[in-house]
Amino acid sequence: MKCLRAAVPRVGRAVRLAVRRGHRKSRRVLTFGLPTVWGAAAITYKLTCPLAQQNGLGARVASSAVFFAVGTGLIVHVRRALLRELRQARQVAGAAQRALLRPLPPRIGGLTVAAAQMSADRGATIGGDLYEAVATEHGVRVVMGDVRGHGLAAIGTAAAVLGSFREAVHDEPDLAGVLRRLDRAFARHLRERTERDGTAAEEFVTVLLLEIGGDGELRALNCGHPWPYLLSGSRVESLSSADPLPPLGPFPLPCDLSGLHRGHLLPDETLVLHTDGAEDARDAHGRFFSLPEVLREASRSAPNGVLGAVFDSLRNHTGGTPTDDVALLVLRNERQHPSTSGARGTAPPATMHPQPTTHL
């Protein structure tokens, strides 16, 4: 009896494998067999049918109809095969996107979150832009990055950076340590890629790291990436005017990575992180896309509404799809504080901002 019970799962697996093999064989038969049958039928008609040997108008019309039907059948068959391959490729791309740019939860550490990416490659769902937000004991940590180039060729680099970030944010007590971990992972990826195919010599990636503390304190490190926009009421302003560090890759990181404090994200304020594909997008007349203007109009919307407004405006501005990958990450502070006195950029008194409860 025990042997029978143990054999049942193996038999089930064998049956499933046999069915899958049968499906694959039937697909191959349909892919190659039908065109062969149609071609053989057309050749047989031409060589053996008496009507095909005649030169009259009726015979020519009949022959043309036969070959037209054969040609139409071949075209339809090829089209169906290509559509089937396209569906399979999109399923694979969708699975890769979910693994690389994992869907973010709607709320992280008391922040409402929304993120999306638009690839410049037609038919591709992922590209060289990367983002992630993680709640840690040090606060909510966020990364936004842009790999040199766009589309499928940049996926490996984006995966290396994101994988390092997802581990480092929990291990490193400060952002400087996280950035150094990303830099080492990226350098290791470049070495391995160069040894493999010799195509990574000029690779680089821009990276913006943010840390939002429990009291809304903002800390940031920027390596060649556009600064995010801060939405407060109807006001839209850049989070910082400081020059960023060089991108990861061409130059080593400086020894001193201090000066991280960038003010506070107060309740009901929103941060919009973006890649340069948004502001570099041009219309048919060469005019750049005005991201601050669109954000000003959508400043009172929920994060998902901000995303929709920006992407709709981008499509209208470019007449379709931008020429570069575009990624957006919107963070809105939904935490409640009893008071928000104090100037921006200066930490308010501790008595005015007790540590809020974290909502996961």
Side-chain angles (χ1 to χ4, degrees), residues 10-335:
R10 290 198 293 271
V11 172
R13 286 194 294 271
V15 171
R16 288 194 294 271
L17 288 174
V19 171
R20 289 172 186 168
R21 292 193 191 100
H23 286 166
R24 287 196 292 269
K25 289 181 180 178
S26 63
R27 271 201 210 100
R28 285 196 293 269
V29 169
L30 289 175
T31 302
F32 300 106
L34 287 180
T36 303
V37 171
W38 289 334
I43 294 173
T44 302
Y45 167 80
K46 183 64 178 176
L47 295 178
T48 63
C49 183
L51 186 62
Q53 311 302 322
Q54 299 178 11
N55 293 324
L57 179 61
R60 291 179 179 178
V61 170
S63 297
S64 299
V66 170
F67 283 99
F68 177 79
V70 171
T72 302
L74 287 173
I75 292 173
V76 171
H77 176 75
V78 171
R79 180 177 180 275
R80 287 180 177 175
L82 291 176
L83 288 176
R84 184 168 58 249
E85 294 295 330
L86 179 60
R87 284 194 297 269
Q88 292 175 350
R90 286 178 174 171
Q91 289 175 356
V92 172
Q97 182 185 37
R98 289 188 292 273
L100 180 62
L101 296 180
R102 299 180 300 195
L104 298 178
R107 289 181 66 84
I108 300 177
L111 306 175
T112 304
V113 182
Q117 191 254 7
M118 181 190 299
S119 176
D121 278 3
R122 184 179 178 86
T125 55
I126 49 180
D129 294 341
L130 57 99
Y131 55 79
E132 182 64 287
V134 181
T136 73
E137 60 179 318
H138 313 291
V140 176
R141 288 178 166 178
V142 183
V143 64
M144 174 70 78
D146 189 356
V147 178
R148 176 181 178 269
H150 61 265
L152 301 178
I155 293 177
T157 303
V161 174
L162 276 177
S164 176
F165 173 81
R166 287 164 179 160
E167 290 186 1
V169 288
H170 295 288
D171 299 336
E172 300 295 336
D174 53 59
L175 281 186
V178 176
L179 183 60
R180 295 192 189 282
R181 288 272 292 271
L182 265 61
D183 185 53
R184 290 195 296 270
F186 180 62
R188 184 167 56 250
H189 169 74
L190 290 187
R191 287 195 303 270
E192 294 172 353
R193 183 171 168 182
T194 302
E195 293 172 357
R196 185 173 61 252
D197 51 27
T199 60
E202 298 181 356
E203 196 78 58
F204 65 85
V205 56
T206 66
V207 172
L208 172 68
L209 292 179
L210 280 180
E211 181 180 287
I212 306 172
D215 60 352
E217 182 186 7
L218 283 170
R219 300 174 69 82
L221 278 173
N222 190 348
C223 292
H225 201 81
W227 286 105
Y229 285 102
L230 176 68
L231 279 57
S232 179
S234 60
R235 189 175 75 255
V236 177
E237 59 186 16
S238 178
L239 180 64
S240 176
S241 59
D243 293 332
L245 299 170
L248 298 184
F251 306 100
L253 290 175
C255 297
D256 182 16
L257 292 176
S258 59
L260 305 174
H261 182 71
R262 301 297 173 188
H264 283 71
L265 182 66
L266 302 180
D268 298 326
E269 291 186 336
T270 303
L271 274 178
V272 179
L273 287 70
H274 62 95
T275 54
D276 59 5
E279 293 187 310
D280 290 346
R282 301 193 186 199
D283 62 8
H285 303 287
R287 292 173 296 195
F288 288 101
F289 180 69
S290 179
L291 181 58
E293 180 179 341
V294 176
L295 293 178
R296 189 173 295 108
E297 295 175 357
S299 60
R300 298 189 182 277
S301 302
N304 280 323
V306 175
L307 282 184
V310 173
F311 281 125
D312 288 344
S313 299
L314 264 174
R315 292 188 185 96
N316 293 334
H317 184 79
T318 59
T321 303
T323 58
D324 194 7
D325 298 334
V326 177
L328 293 176
L329 174 59
V330 184
L331 303 161
R332 183 177 177 84
N333 188 356
E334 300 288 354
R335 301 162 177 166

